[in-house]
Amino acid sequence: MVVLSQTALDHYSSMKTCKPTNGLFTGIPVIDLKDPEAKTRIVEACQEFGFFKLVNHGVPFEFMTRLEYLAMNFFNLPQSEKDKAGPPDPFGYGNKRIGPNGDVGWIEYLLLNTNPQVNCNKTLSIFQENPQNFRSAVEDYILEVKRMTYEVLELMADGLGIEPRNVLSKLVSDEKSDSCFRLNYYPPCPELQALSGRNLIGFGEHTDPQIISVLRSNNTTGLQICLRDGTWVSVPPDQTSFFINIGDALQVMTNGRFRSVKHRVLADNMKSRISMIYFGGPPLSEKIAPFPSLLAEGEESLYEQFTWYEYKSSAYKSRLADYRLGLFEKK
Ligand code: GA4
C-alpha cells in the first residue's frame, strides 16, 4: 500500500483530477503533407475535428529529439535554478500556475516569444546558463516548424478556395506576427494513481486563441480532444509526427467552418510527458474577421470585428476553460 505524506497531499490538493478514459481514439485524421489530396483532407479535418495529425512533414527527427533532450535537462535542474527563469509574465518558466487568473495544472513549462527581441532577460538567462546550446536548438526547431506551418496554411487557403494562397501564412510569417512557443513538462504522478485510480489534469481544457498550433510530444499519452458531440478522446501519441489544431482566430476567419478544438492534457501515472508547441498568431494590429469570399450570399459574420490585440487582451482576463469567443459573438 502507498501511504501519502501530508506534503504530497498538499501538492495535489489544488489540482483537478479525472477518471482515466479507456483506450486510444483511432479516428484522428492523418494527413500526408505530400499527398496531392492533402488540401481537401485538411479542410475536412478542420471542419470535423479542428485537429489532425501530420506525417511526411519534412522536419528532421533529430531537431525534435535534440530539443526534447535539452528541454528535459532543463526541467531536471534543481528547482532553485529553474525558478530564476520565472515566474512567467507571460514569458518565462512556470510551475503549476497557468496564466494570471488562478488556473493550475500538474505541469512545468517554459513559455517563449518566437521573436527573440521580445524575450526578457529572465528568459534569455535560461539559454545562457544551459551550456549545450539550448537556445540554438529552440531556434533551429522553430525555424523548421514555421516553414512547415506556412505550407500547411497555404494548403488550407487552397482547400478553402481563398486567394492569394499565402493569405493565411503571411499572417504568421509577418515579422510582427505575435507567435509564441511553449515547452511543457508533465511529471508522472504515481502516488495519486495508487490512491485514487485517477489522473491529474496536467493542462485543463481550453481552446487556443491563435490561428494555428503545432504540437510535437514524446511517446507518452495524455493529450485529449473534445469531439463535436462533447466526448473526450485520447490522442495516440506519435513522437515522429505533428498534431495541428485550429485556434479561435481561424474559427472566426472561416466564420465557424473550422472548429477551434477544445483540448486538455492528463498527466501520466508512470511516464513523464514532454511537448513542444508553436502557436502561430497574427500581428497585434490585425483585424480578425471572416474572409469575405467564404461568406455565402447573404451570410453575415457570426462575430463582431476585433483586432488580435483586443482578443488577446480579453483572453488574458479569462480563465482557461472559459468560452472566450462568446464575448465577441453577435447577439
Ligand atoms: C492557451 C494557449 C497557449 O498555451 C497560451 C496560453 C496562455 C498562458 O498560458 O499564458 C493562457 C491560455 C493560452 C488561454 C487563456 C489565458 C492565456 C492562460 C490563460 C488562462 C500561451 C495562449 O496564448 O493562450
Side-chain angles (χ1 to χ4, degrees):
M1 189 180 74
V2 177
V3 179
L4 278 181
S5 66
Q6 191 54 47
T7 355
L9 276 172
D10 288 348
H11 249 96
Y12 297 130
S13 62
S14 54
M15 302 282 156
K16 290 192 185 140
T17 61
C18 95
K19 270 203 198 130
T21 33
N22 292 330
L24 295 169
F25 182 64
T26 52
I28 304 287
V30 180
I31 312 283
D32 177 343
L33 198 52
K34 304 282 169 324
D35 175 357
E37 295 299 308
K39 61 179 186 180
T40 316
R41 306 274 335 276
I42 290 177
V43 169
E44 285 164 1
C46 295
Q47 292 182 163
E48 180 55 32
F49 296 92
F51 187 83
F52 59 90
K53 169 166 142 170
L54 191 68
V55 299
N56 229 336
H57 45 68
V59 177
F61 190 53
E62 298 72 50
F63 283 65
M64 307 173 176
T65 48
R66 179 164 167 248
L67 182 55
E68 180 182 328
Y69 171 79
L70 294 171
M72 206 49 130
N73 282 355
F74 172 81
F75 290 113
N76 282 327
L77 287 174
Q79 193 58 50
S80 57
E81 285 300 305
K82 293 185 281 191
D83 284 340
K84 287 183 190 161
D89 59 359
F91 302 120
Y93 166 75
N95 183 7
K96 299 194 185 73
R97 290 180 219 283
I98 300 171
N101 304 314
D103 290 288
V104 289
W106 193 247
I107 187 177
E108 289 179 47
Y109 59 88
L110 273 175
L111 188 54
L112 307 170
N113 194 289
T114 54
N115 181 350
Q117 277 104 53
V118 180
N119 284 311
C120 49
N121 294 338
K122 181 175 66 188
T123 325
L124 295 175
S125 75
I126 305 164
F127 296 133
Q128 270 144 26
E129 285 168 27
N130 280 270
Q132 285 158 301
N133 238 341
F134 195 11
R135 180 181 187 151
S136 74
V138 170
E139 287 172 355
D140 294 349
Y141 176 86
I142 291 179
L143 215 66
E144 281 290 314
V145 169
K146 278 184 175 169
R147 182 194 51 70
M148 181 204 75
T149 307
Y150 305 158
E151 213 177 315
V152 171
L153 289 172
E154 278 158 26
L155 286 169
M156 264 180 205
D158 268 352
L160 284 166
I162 44 177
E163 286 182 327
R165 74 187 299 260
N166 71 347
V167 70
L168 284 170
S169 62
K170 73 167 198 263
L171 297 174
V172 300
S173 63
D174 191 294
E175 59 169 16
K176 294 213 178 85
S177 98
D178 181 39
S179 299
C180 58
F181 183 65
R182 171 163 214 145
L183 289 164
N184 287 336
Y185 171 67
Y186 302 93
C189 52
E191 304 103 322
L192 190 85
Q193 157 73 7
L195 187 76
S196 66
R198 295 171 75 85
N199 280 99
L200 278 175
I201 304 276
F203 207 116
E205 66 174 80
H206 67 287
T207 60
D208 293 341
Q210 291 81 358
I211 294 176
I212 190 168
S213 314
V214 180
L215 173 141
R216 185 266 170 191
S217 76
N218 66 351
N219 259 345
T220 305
T221 51
L223 178 62
Q224 298 193 321
I225 62 166
C226 186
L227 302 181
R228 275 187 179 279
D229 67 1
T231 41
W232 285 97
V233 293
S234 294
V235 177
D238 177 351
Q239 59 178 356
T240 64
S241 302
F242 288 98
F243 291 94
I244 311 276
N245 70 262
I246 298 305
D248 299 342
L250 194 49
Q251 174 168 323
V252 173
M253 289 173 180
T254 58
N255 211 27
R257 273 176 72 179
F258 282 8
R259 272 185 83 211
S260 171
V261 64
K262 238 196 304 176
H263 55 288
R264 67 183 182 191
V265 178
L266 310 185
D268 193 89
N269 302 311
M270 302 310 289
K271 284 170 71 191
S272 55
R273 174 179 163 94
I274 191 149
S275 60
M276 29 191 100
I277 311 133
Y278 162 72
F279 300 93
L284 289 172
S285 60
E286 189 68 30
K287 290 203 174 75
I288 309 297
F291 290 110
S293 62
L294 284 184
L295 297 177
E297 219 179 289
E299 182 183 345
E300 283 193 13
S301 171
L302 298 171
Y303 310 91
E304 305 288 353
Q305 204 184 70
F306 53 88
T307 62
W308 171 242
Y309 174 81
E310 288 166 329
Y311 193 62
K312 200 176 139 177
S313 312
S314 148
Y316 268 94
K317 290 186 191 117
S318 68
R319 295 291 298 261
L320 205 50
D322 287 350
Y323 174 54
R324 279 173 279 282
L325 277 177
L327 287 175
F328 296 86
E329 278 173 355
K330 281 188 182 161
K331 298 285 168 288

